[in-house]
């Protein structure tokens, strides 16, 4: 069996790419090369990483990684995409465990895929051309929004969201189309966003991104049981080690950005409370508009993480 694996980030040398290489190597070794997986960085095959759930479901890739925030056709997946919902690794992993049965069902129902698992990257931070120490400081600025809940929150904060693909983020900030980006520090270093922004705000952590790997249903069913087991076991290791690597790198990533000339901006607890109140407006609006099942799952997640 020879599979194609579309990872999320557009570089094989990214942290995700390095971990993915170790994963596919382990699968090949344990399967005596009966299952060989070729890695393709996001965008290389002409598919946006944000569409990998549909691409995998259509059979154009046997396996692919996307973000939970991209899977908007499936309302259960949107429960994990709300801004300012998670502040710690424990919270996001607790939410994942609560939601997992519903998410697996939704992945099969809506995309004809099998949910292999996910890794949780470090918290997103705001990288911007102006300092953002208060809610007031957001007003009148334009920031890249890569998912609709983030766009809703930006509007509540008084900013203008602009939909810009990830591979265009650097150019958009360099040319002033947008003035900042919400994203991970590792990702910022990978694509050198420190060259086009000046400030990194430590308190505004809109998302803890969840990168989801899906397998085409027919491709999975075609594998013998022993290869399914090997793939599942090595995938579990891959998701754990990748999550660990992102979180372990968080402090040094911040130090690296500061060393490269960025200024770290601390946000007071009072201002963060205002930001969470703005985010809750978006949570409540979504819960009033989504399906009863997705709303019930969101309530279960909020209860589970004490929000």
């Amino acid at each position: 069996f020879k599979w194609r694996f579309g990872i999320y980030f557009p570089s094989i040398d990214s942290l995700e790419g390095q971990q993915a290489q170790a994963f596919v190597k382990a699968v090949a070794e344990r399967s005596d090369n009966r299952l060989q997986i070729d890695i393709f960085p996001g965008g290389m095959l002409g598919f946006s990483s944000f569409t990998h759930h549909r691409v995998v479901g259509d059979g154009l890739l046997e396996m692919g990684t996307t973000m939970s925030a991209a899977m908007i056709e499936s309302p259960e997946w949107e429960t994990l995409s709300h801004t300012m919902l998670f502040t710690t690794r424990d919270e996001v992993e607790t939410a994942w465990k609560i939601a997992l049965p519903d998410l697996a069902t939704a992945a099969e129902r809506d995309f004809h895929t099998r949910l292999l698992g996910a890794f949780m990257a470090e918290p997103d931070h705001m990288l911007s051309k102006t300092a953002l120490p208060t809610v007031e400081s957001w007003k009148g600025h334009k920031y890249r929004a890569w998912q609709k809940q983030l766009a809703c929150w930006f509007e509540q904060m008084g900013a203008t969201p602009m939909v810009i693909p990830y591979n265009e983020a650097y150019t958009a900030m360099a040319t002033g189309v947008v003035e900042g980006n919400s994203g991970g520090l590792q990702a910022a270093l990978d694509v050198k966003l420190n060259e086009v922004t000046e400030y990194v705000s430590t308190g505004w952590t809109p998302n803890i991104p969840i990168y989801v790997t899906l397998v085409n249903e027919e491709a999975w069913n075609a594998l013998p049981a022993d290869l399914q087991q090997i793939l599942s076991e090595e995938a579990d290791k891959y998701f754990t080690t990748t999550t660990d690597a992102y979180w372990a790198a968080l402090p040094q990533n911040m130090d690296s950005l500061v060393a490269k000339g960025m200024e770290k901006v601390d946000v007071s607890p009072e201002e963060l409370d205002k930001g969470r109140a703005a985010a809750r407006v978006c949570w409540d609006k979504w819960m009033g508009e989504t399906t009863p099942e997705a709303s019930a799952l969101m309530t279960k997640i909020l209860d589970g993480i004490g929000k």
Side-chain angles (χ1 to χ4, degrees):
F1 298 87
K2 197 168 183 66
W3 281 16
R4 295 154 300 172
F5 177 20
I7 63 173
Y8 187 85
F9 285 98
S11 170
I12 197 70
D13 296 321
S14 64
L15 188 151
E16 179 201 15
Q18 295 173 32
Q19 295 290 330
Q21 290 179 72
F23 161 54
V24 302
K25 180 180 178 182
V27 170
E29 289 177 349
R30 282 193 60 191
S31 69
D32 294 325
N33 285 319
R34 291 163 57 213
L35 177 54
Q36 299 178 38
I37 303 172
D38 292 329
I39 299 172
F40 295 90
M44 177 175 284
L45 295 178
F47 312 124
S48 164
S49 302
F50 243 48
T51 67
H52 275 174
H53 52 294
R54 296 195 295 272
V55 171
V56 170
D58 290 341
L60 301 175
L61 284 174
E62 286 75 26
M63 185 164 66
T65 298
T66 189
M67 297 186 77
S68 61
M71 300 166 70
I72 57 175
E73 305 93 330
S74 190
E76 288 87 348
W77 280 97
E78 289 190 280
T79 58
L80 302 176
S81 307
H82 294 280
T83 53
M84 302 295 280
L85 179 58
F86 308 124
T87 55
T88 66
R89 177 175 175 176
D90 181 64
E91 285 180 349
V92 70
E93 290 184 335
T94 297
W96 175 259
K97 291 174 184 175
I98 291 170
L100 186 55
D102 290 352
L103 300 180
T105 298
E108 182 176 352
R109 178 196 69 212
D110 297 329
F111 307 119
H112 308 294
T113 60
R114 179 183 177 86
L115 173 58
L116 196 60
F119 63 86
M120 291 74 175
E122 58 181 323
D124 284 348
H125 287 69
M126 282 301 300
L127 280 74
S128 55
K129 293 178 178 289
T130 57
L132 298 172
T134 65
V135 172
E136 185 67 27
S137 62
W138 286 68
K139 294 182 178 178
H141 296 290
K142 299 178 295 182
Y143 300 118
R144 173 180 173 261
W146 44 267
Q147 54 111 326
K148 67 179 184 179
Q149 296 302 329
L150 188 60
C152 176
W153 183 60
F154 283 170
E155 290 174 342
Q156 292 296 319
M157 295 287 280
T160 300
M162 304 285 287
V163 178
I164 306 288
Y166 182 70
N167 61 348
E168 298 177 17
Y170 183 100
T171 301
M173 281 181 276
T175 57
V177 174
V178 293
E179 302 166 71
N181 179 70
S182 167
L185 303 187
Q186 180 66 53
L189 287 165
D190 286 343
V191 297
K192 299 181 172 27
L193 293 186
N194 55 284
E195 296 177 348
V196 291
T197 54
E198 298 175 38
Y199 299 91
V200 53
S201 299
T202 61
W204 306 120
T205 52
N207 299 89
I208 295 179
I210 300 175
Y211 293 92
V212 181
T213 300
L214 302 166
V215 173
N216 176 268
E217 196 169 42
E218 292 184 5
W220 171 265
N221 291 336
L223 290 180
D226 65 321
L227 292 186
Q228 291 179 348
Q229 182 175 351
I230 289 171
L231 183 62
S232 295
E233 290 174 355
E234 292 303 325
D236 286 344
K237 296 175 188 176
Y238 164 58
F239 299 129
T240 299
T241 57
T242 305
T243 299
D244 288 345
Y246 270 105
W247 284 81
L250 178 57
Q252 68 191 47
N253 287 342
M254 179 64 77
D255 291 343
S256 294
L257 288 172
V258 172
K260 291 177 181 293
M262 297 198 73
E263 181 177 336
K264 185 171 71 171
V265 178
D266 292 322
V267 183
S268 72
E270 293 78 16
E271 291 298 322
L272 290 176
D273 284 343
K274 294 178 187 178
R276 292 189 190 98
R280 190 170 284 275
V281 172
C282 297
W283 305 354
D284 293 342
K285 180 176 183 293
W286 178 85
M287 290 177 71
E289 296 173 348
T290 192
T291 65
E293 294 79 9
S295 181
L297 179 57
M298 181 70 174
T299 299
K300 192 183 300 185
I301 289 171
L302 291 171
D303 290 343
I305 62 175
K307 299 289 178 78

